[in-house]
Amino acid sequence: LLLAFASAIPVLSALVQVAQIPTGTYPADSARLAVAPIAWFAHVLAGAAFGITGPVQFVRAVRNRFGALHRVSGRIFVLSGAILGLSGLALLAQVTSVRTPLADIARGLFGLGLLIALALAIAAIRDRDVLRHRTWMIRAYATGMGLGVVGLVFFPIYIVTGQPPMGLTSDILFVGSWVLTIVIGEVVVRSLSRPAQRIAA
């Protein structure tokens, strides 16, 4: 629930951009992304699909009662996550950055981390290791939706000032907020592993 709540802002933002990009009605501060329209559109479309299907994957009732839906949404989740990660790296390479190297390096690492987490989740389910699969799916979701907590921190500032926060202090806050999302995911992962540890003991 915490991860789903944190993902609300980036999902809504992505859905708005899905409509804005083809019509050219995006705000001026996003115009620099137009140099890579395909990667930008793929990124926001995949981000919306990733953010919507993610919480569905973690609902126990869906897994237990609607196995087919869980598998279909899982495939959409993995595919959209892969596109999200790859398009994010493409944007990083093609679009002139307005942030410090700290934020750009972090975004690159988070993109690679998302792809690695998805690959490990797929490998785990092929080995029929459900718990390991679930933990890597949660890590993938937390990494892919890291902008959620960033949005909760930065959106009020944007509303008040009309400009996105910039500068080194802003980028430290940006990276820290994203890391916090990953930490939240890791806390959930650790809570899932405790029952298994107690049984083993």
Side-chain angles (χ1 to χ4, degrees), residues 49-60:
F50 187 80
I52 292 170
T53 56
V56 176
Q57 285 300 102
F58 308 129
V59 176
R60 184 175 301 174

Side-chain angles (χ1 to χ4, degrees), residues 33-63:
L33 299 172
V35 299
I38 296 175
W40 184 16
F41 186 75
H43 192 67
V44 297
L45 184 61
F50 187 80
I52 292 170
T53 56
V56 176
Q57 285 300 102
F58 308 129
V59 176
R60 184 175 301 174
V62 173
R63 292 199 307 269

Side-chain angles (χ1 to χ4, degrees), residues 97-104 107 154 164-167 170-171 174:
S97 177
V98 295
R99 294 193 173 276
T100 65
L102 171 65
D104 292 337
R107 288 168 59 196
F154 278 42
M166 302 299 293
S170 170
D171 285 355
F174 174 88

Side-chain angles (χ1 to χ4, degrees), residues 11-27 37 40-46 48:
V11 167
L12 292 174
S13 175
L15 290 172
V16 169
Q17 291 180 69
V18 166
Q20 289 177 332
I21 294 170
T23 59
T25 56
Y26 43 80
W40 184 16
F41 186 75
H43 192 67
V44 297
L45 184 61

Side-chain angles (χ1 to χ4, degrees), residues 61-162:
V62 173
R63 292 199 307 269
N64 294 340
R65 299 182 183 181
F66 306 99
L69 175 60
H70 177 73
R71 288 188 293 272
V72 170
S73 65
R75 288 180 173 88
I76 296 172
F77 177 84
V78 171
L79 177 61
S80 60
I83 295 172
L84 180 66
L86 292 171
S87 61
L89 294 174
L91 285 171
L92 195 59
Q94 296 178 57
V95 178
T96 301
S97 177
V98 295
R99 294 193 173 276
T100 65
L102 171 65
D104 292 337
I105 292 170
R107 288 168 59 196
L109 291 175
F110 294 146
L112 290 173
L114 169 59
L115 296 173
I116 291 170
L118 289 171
L120 291 172
I122 294 171
I125 201 61
R126 285 180 174 174
D127 292 339
R128 300 185 182 278
D129 189 335
V130 175
L131 179 59
R132 184 161 57 92
H133 168 72
R134 192 178 307 160
T135 59
W136 281 111
M137 291 286 268
I138 292 171
R139 287 174 175 134
Y141 186 70
T143 304
M145 300 309 296
L147 279 177
V149 172
V150 174
L152 292 175
V153 173
F154 278 42
F155 190 66
I157 300 174
Y158 183 86
I159 291 295
V160 172
T161 65

